[in-house]
Amino acid sequence: MKKEPDVNTLHLEEPLKQNTPKIRVGLFKYFTKPSTLGVLVLCGLLFVVLFLPPVIGMGDDGSTAAIITGSDLYNLGKLTPKEAMAYFQKNWGIMEYYNDSDNGQITSQTPFLNAARNLDRAYTWDGLFDMRFYGAVIAIFYLIAMYFLFETVTYGKRARWSYVIVGLGVIIFGDTAYTAWINSFYPQALSFFLVMILGTSLILMGQEKLNDYLLIGCFFLSGLLLCLLNQQYALLGLFLGILGISLKYVSADKYYIRICVVGGSLLMLCSLTAFFVMPNGLTNLSAYHSMTRGVLMTAENPEQALKEFSINPQYAVLTGTSYYQAIAPETMDSQEMESAFFSKVNPTGVAIYYLANPGQLYEMLNRSVDSSFNIRPAWLGNYEITQGYAPGAQTSFFTLWSFLKANYLPGNFGFIIIWMGVIIGVYVRFFRKGIIEKNERNTLRFVGLMTWLFIGLWELYVAIITSGDADTLGHLFIFSLTFDLISFIILGKFIHWIEKQLRKVDWEARKQAFLNRNKNKQKQREQRGYRL
């Protein structure tokens, strides 16, 4: 006997059948919208660059040894120090027993490294750490940051123009000169997406595009991780903490206001603590370069400059030299050199000197800007030694933007001043309008860009006073990144303006006018006795 279907079951199945096409359409629209599609393209690029042979990464200059040890990892020692800089090392050792080393350092990088190490162990359990697991962890957060960035520039734009803007973003921030850092222990791997999230969270809050609680949480968390990444980033927390507290005026919600006040206060406290507790990472090498490749190199009278630091003027013979080429190593490490030279050089003294000599500061800014536009250090290779490439070989795959930037953009601070003027001129009216109308959200686009600008200029200045023109690896990376972020936002706005102007044009009327003009010309030719 055939059983009749239950009436209640029929009623349940009908809504499911009706909703299935709607769900499919919704998923299709989501995955084909510009922001999502841009992230999917970047995901494919990362997979090819970072995880498929030949695997791309960054050579190791030894500066991250303390971070590596702090996560119970160690160098297998298969490469000499010179080879380690020229080639990317994919495999590292995992300590099997208690780590009694006193050289380990715990920073905001450590949780990411520990997560990658645990994933590696769970998947392989071979006693080796594959750098690609760390790259995968960082890549997830990088893709989230890129989604935020794409959402900011496609806000209020028509689809066809949004795809153009997002495509430019893929070319700029998917450049292998940037993404290769993800496969490395350098702090650039984290600062890449942390700085991006800091600015985009503010801009998105102004656009009211995502949840305020999500965005304010992203702002404070990324700010905290950035400050705990390195002692030289720590003081940025004071600026970000004050900014975070001021965000309480954006919303009248009492819980949101409490989060801003507590989060901003906590960020400033952590910033100060990190500055005094974390090792400063400044060595005699940095102090030497801040003088010989900075103060003395730009001074008209190096002997007089040394007197201002209470250093013997005879050391002027070191002007322009690097740490490794100046004096024999035993002399550099001697007690005499320590007491007569290194003990009298510190970042505070160098900063005061530059403020008193703005001409030298401007010359150093010119040099640093020029260096920062090349985000691929020439001494660090991208390939593994087993892949057969020459020492120090760097990939040319998907590097259009980094090539154009390093070779064709004006590498001087005068250009940066003009560039800053354009930024302020374009966006300050939104800030002014928001203040007049007492609508704080309208100010956040300008505030987000100014946050990036402040971070970039701060790191540019810190690089000068700590390492002269010798540090193209650390602080200048962040300056270069913030330059690209702000330029991309401005470029997106310019493309939107072009689209807006084109929409005002009556193309049908222009087409008809063009056809009529051709007809009139043909009639005139026929009247003169000429035929086509």
Side-chain angles (χ1 to χ4, degrees):
M1 183 176 176
K2 191 174 181 180
K3 187 177 178 181
E4 293 292 330
D6 184 33
V7 177
N8 293 329
T9 304
L10 287 174
H11 286 306
L12 288 172
E13 288 178 352
E14 286 176 2
L16 287 174
K17 290 179 180 179
Q18 293 173 0
N19 289 333
T20 300
K22 293 180 180 179
I23 294 172
R24 289 176 180 171
V25 171
L27 287 174
F28 177 77
K29 286 184 177 180
Y30 178 76
F31 283 109
T32 55
K33 80 172 188 174
S35 302
T36 309
L37 196 59
V39 169
L40 291 175
V41 172
L42 284 172
C43 187
L45 277 173
L46 291 183
F47 185 73
V48 171
V49 171
L50 304 181
F51 304 110
L52 293 181
V55 179
I56 301 300
M58 298 296 287
D60 177 46
D61 66 353
S63 62
T64 59
I67 300 296
I68 296 169
T69 303
S71 292
D72 296 333
L73 303 174
Y74 65 91
N75 193 333
L76 294 173
K78 293 184 178 180
L79 301 178
T80 64
K82 188 174 181 179
E83 288 175 333
M85 293 176 66
Y87 293 101
F88 165 59
Q89 297 183 74
K90 179 168 65 68
N91 294 322
W92 298 73
I94 301 177
M95 297 180 185
E96 297 182 12
Y97 306 105
Y98 177 71
N99 181 5
D100 59 354
S101 173
D102 57 354
N103 295 324
Q105 185 178 345
I106 306 299
T107 70
S108 57
Q109 246 184 297
T110 306
F112 295 91
L113 276 170
N114 289 345
R117 186 195 62 215
N118 293 335
L119 282 173
D120 190 321
R121 275 179 169 169
Y123 186 76
T124 61
W125 204 257
D126 57 0
L128 294 176
F129 176 70
D130 191 326
M131 175 72 78
R132 288 177 294 181
F133 282 93
Y134 182 61
V137 171
I138 298 299
I140 292 171
F141 292 95
Y142 159 76
L143 292 173
I144 293 172
M146 288 304 302
Y147 180 80
F148 276 23
L149 180 63
F150 289 153
E151 283 289 286
T152 63
V153 293
T154 57
Y155 175 72
K157 312 305 193 277
R158 289 196 174 189
R160 64 179 181 272
W161 291 94
S162 296
Y163 289 113
V164 173
I165 298 170
V166 168
L168 291 172
V170 170
I171 292 173
I172 294 173
F173 301 104
D175 194 293
T176 308
Y178 272 131
T179 56
W181 290 98
I182 294 175
N183 260 353
S184 76
F185 293 119
Y186 295 108
Q188 283 80 354
L190 263 73
S191 63
F192 189 17
F193 69 82
L194 291 175
V195 172
M196 203 179 294
I197 291 176
L198 276 171
T200 54
S201 59
L202 294 174
I203 298 172
L204 287 171
M205 200 180 300
Q207 295 172 341
E208 298 185 79
K209 202 166 186 180
L210 296 176
N211 183 273
D212 281 348
Y213 289 101
L214 169 66
L215 294 173
I216 197 67
C218 288
F219 175 81
F220 281 125
L221 182 59
S222 56
L224 180 64
L225 291 174
L226 183 64
C227 294
L228 299 180
L229 189 58
N230 189 301
Q231 196 232 30
Q232 294 172 40
Y233 299 149
L235 289 181
L236 284 172
L238 295 177
F239 163 73
L240 295 174
I242 295 170
L243 177 59
I245 293 174
S246 68
L247 292 176
K248 68 181 182 179
Y249 298 108
V250 170
S251 174
D253 186 88
K254 63 179 180 179
Y255 295 108
Y256 172 86
I257 294 172
R258 289 175 185 173
I259 290 174
C260 289
V261 174
V262 174
S265 303
L266 182 63
L267 186 54
M268 288 192 289
L269 179 62
C270 291
S271 173
L272 288 172
T273 303
F275 182 76
F276 290 108
V277 172
M278 293 178 72
N280 61 28
L282 296 177
T283 61
N284 284 350
L285 182 148
S286 299
Y288 184 88
H289 286 154
S290 70
M291 292 297 293
T292 63
R293 300 291 305 174
V295 171
L296 300 181
M297 188 171 62
T298 55
E300 291 184 5
N301 188 336
E303 290 83 0
Q304 182 59 38
L306 285 168
K307 288 181 181 179
E308 295 188 32
F309 287 86
S310 300
I311 297 175
N312 191 328
Q314 292 180 345
Y315 283 102
V317 297
L318 302 176
T319 300
T321 61
S322 72
Y323 183 87
Y324 299 105
Q325 68 182 169
I327 309 176
E330 56 271 17
T331 305
M332 295 295 284
D333 296 333
S334 67
Q335 185 62 38
E336 179 184 356
M337 191 71 179
E338 177 66 32
S339 60
F341 189 88
F342 292 120
S343 64
K344 298 178 181 181
V345 179
N346 59 75
T348 303
V350 175
I352 293 172
Y353 177 85
Y354 278 125
L355 292 176
N357 297 272
Q360 287 183 245
L361 176 60
Y362 186 80
E363 184 176 344
M364 288 303 300
L365 287 170
N366 273 337
R367 292 171 178 267
S368 298
V369 168
D370 187 44
S371 298
S372 72
F373 280 2
N374 184 6
I375 52 179
R376 293 156 58 90
W379 60 90
L380 296 180
N382 289 147
Y383 295 99
E384 292 181 90
I385 194 170
T386 56
Q387 292 167 349
Y389 288 89
Q394 295 182 333
T395 181
S396 58
F397 174 73
F398 209 78
T399 56
L400 175 63
W401 173 247
S402 58
F403 174 80
L404 294 176
K405 187 177 179 181
N407 292 281
Y408 295 103
L409 282 185
N412 59 74
F413 197 67
F415 168 70
I416 297 299
I417 292 174
I418 296 172
W419 171 77
M420 288 190 294
V422 172
I423 297 164
I424 296 172
V426 170
Y427 276 92
V428 74
R429 63 189 181 92
F430 295 106
F431 183 80
R432 182 174 176 273
K433 183 180 179 182
I435 295 297
I436 293 173
E437 296 177 352
K438 296 184 179 180
N439 184 352
E440 283 74 13
R441 287 190 187 273
N442 283 345
T443 68
L444 290 182
R445 277 183 287 183
F446 180 76
V447 171
L449 294 181
M450 290 303 102
T451 298
W452 278 332
L453 184 60
F454 177 83
I455 292 173
L457 292 176
W458 171 266
E459 293 305 318
L460 184 67
Y461 185 62
V462 169
I464 291 171
I465 66 175
T466 56
S467 301
D469 71 345
D471 184 8
T472 58
L473 183 63
H475 302 289
L476 299 186
F477 174 89
I478 288 186
F479 174 78
S480 181
L481 174 61
T482 54
F483 173 85
D484 285 349
L485 286 167
I486 297 171
S487 299
F488 178 59
I489 298 291
I490 293 289
L491 188 60
K493 185 169 183 61
F494 178 66
I495 292 174
H496 173 51
W497 178 82
I498 292 175
E499 179 265 342
K500 192 175 180 180
Q501 300 308 309
L502 291 176
R503 274 195 287 129
K504 294 178 181 179
V505 177
D506 189 343
W507 295 106
E508 189 60 34
R510 291 204 171 193
K511 178 183 176 182
Q512 195 61 43
F514 177 76
L515 294 174
N516 291 336
R517 187 163 56 249
N518 284 344
K519 288 180 181 178
N520 292 334
K521 287 182 179 179
Q522 186 175 358
K523 287 180 180 179
Q524 290 174 3
R525 290 193 186 104
E526 290 176 353
Q527 289 172 359
R528 293 172 184 171
Y530 297 102
R531 296 191 179 274
L532 297 175

